[in-house]
Amino acid sequence: LWTGTIAGRPQAVAASEIPAILAHPHISAMPDLQGVSAYLTTIRTVTRERTLFQGVRSLRPGERITIDLASDSLRETSSDLWDALRTHTPGSAESFHADVADSVSRHLRADVPTCALLSGGLDSSVIAAVARRHSESLNTYCSGAHAAGSDSDDFAAARLVAGHLGVNHTEAPITRELFTQRWPDMIARQGLPLSTPNEVAINEVARVLRSQGHVVTLSGEGADELLGGYEIPMLQAWEHASGAPHLPSAPAT
């Protein structure tokens, strides 16, 4: 989202990707130095609502922004999911388990075949295990790079979990050649540097599952954010280093 004045009138420009906003003839691609600093030190392309580009901000998950263009100045109001969670009392481990099971069950409601990403880690394994209870023939997918001379890579762990759950498991390996080809292509499409190398693996596993007729998949991505995430420590580090005013944080979990 970009808001400002163009030709003497307040304007708002919104798009699902940054390159579409920067294509506007009156918006310049200027760096946001705080955003660039955050990327160089933490490889996060978005910090709170700040992006790598000056004046271009991102809507946070669960956030809603309303802009009134009827007057001579932009009137903007914002609300997000945290407004409700700030007054929410954390539940027990049992209630957390029930919430996860309920969420997976709801996300399995689809009119197309569903599948699951399975790395063998805790997050994806829990989700795949819950999904398996609802499906007699669950397909799971894993991507990554084989570790030479080692059984400690994701593939080995995913095979172990897949065998235990009795699912149809597919591997989508990343070679050096595929990685070096896909990385610049993805940057060009998104108009942003990638956050982590595993974004190439996620892109490849998505291509593979799509080629097998799946367009909906469950994933453990985002589970870290569910339990507090990465953003709060980053904001605290920024405030400590810069002396910036304290920014409101998400409620503790």
Side-chain angles (χ1 to χ4, degrees):
L1 175 67
W2 180 95
T3 55
T5 301
I6 299 176
R9 292 189 57 82
Q11 301 283 336
V13 180
S16 58
E17 294 181 338
I18 290 178
I21 294 178
L22 298 180
H24 193 288
H26 295 287
I27 298 178
S28 301
M30 299 295 293
D32 181 304
L33 296 183
Q34 180 177 331
V36 173
S37 175
Y39 175 74
L40 293 176
T41 54
T42 67
I43 66 174
R44 306 290 286 183
T45 57
V46 176
T47 304
R48 210 169 179 84
E49 75 281 352
R50 299 182 81 121
T51 70
L52 301 182
F53 296 92
Q54 191 177 107
V56 181
R57 52 199 168 106
S58 174
L59 268 69
R60 306 181 69 220
E63 183 181 18
R64 179 179 62 188
I65 291 180
T66 302
I67 299 175
D68 183 358
L69 299 175
S71 64
D72 292 334
S73 62
L74 291 175
R75 291 200 297 267
E76 182 179 312
T77 56
S78 174
S79 62
D80 59 46
L81 181 63
W82 297 117
D83 292 341
L85 293 181
R86 286 188 182 99
T87 59
H88 176 70
T89 302
S92 63
E94 290 76 14
S95 65
F96 179 78
H97 179 276
D99 288 341
V100 171
D102 179 64
S103 178
V104 172
S105 175
R106 290 173 182 269
H107 281 84
L108 286 171
R109 298 174 184 173
D111 54 4
V112 295
T114 57
C115 60
L117 303 187
L118 178 62
S119 69
L122 178 62
D123 307 327
S124 65
S125 297
V126 167
I127 292 172
V130 175
R132 180 66 176 85
R133 300 174 190 168
H134 299 273
S135 173
E136 295 182 359
S137 181
L138 178 68
N139 289 274
T140 59
Y141 295 84
C142 179
S143 186
H146 287 287
S150 172
D151 290 329
S152 62
D153 58 24
D154 281 354
F155 291 115
R159 286 189 214 113
L160 182 65
V161 176
H164 176 72
L165 296 178
V167 297
N168 305 315
H169 190 61
T170 300
E171 296 179 354
I174 300 296
T175 63
R176 180 183 293 272
E177 293 73 23
L178 187 148
F179 184 88
T180 54
Q181 178 271 325
R182 195 70 56 76
W183 179 280
D185 180 62
M186 291 177 64
I187 292 176
R189 288 175 179 272
Q190 297 182 86
L192 286 172
L194 303 188
S195 289
T196 59
N198 73 339
E199 290 186 54
V200 175
I202 294 173
N203 179 270
E204 175 61 14
V205 77
R207 290 171 182 252
V208 171
L209 66 88
R210 179 62 182 263
S211 70
Q212 296 186 5
H214 292 101
V215 293
V216 175
T217 184
L218 301 177
S219 165
E221 295 291 318
D224 298 291
E225 284 73 14
L226 179 65
L227 297 173
Y230 303 105
E231 186 174 90
I232 294 174
M234 288 172 54
L235 290 172
Q236 291 173 338
W238 168 260
E239 292 165 4
H240 174 74
S242 67
H246 176 72
L247 295 174
S249 300
T253 57

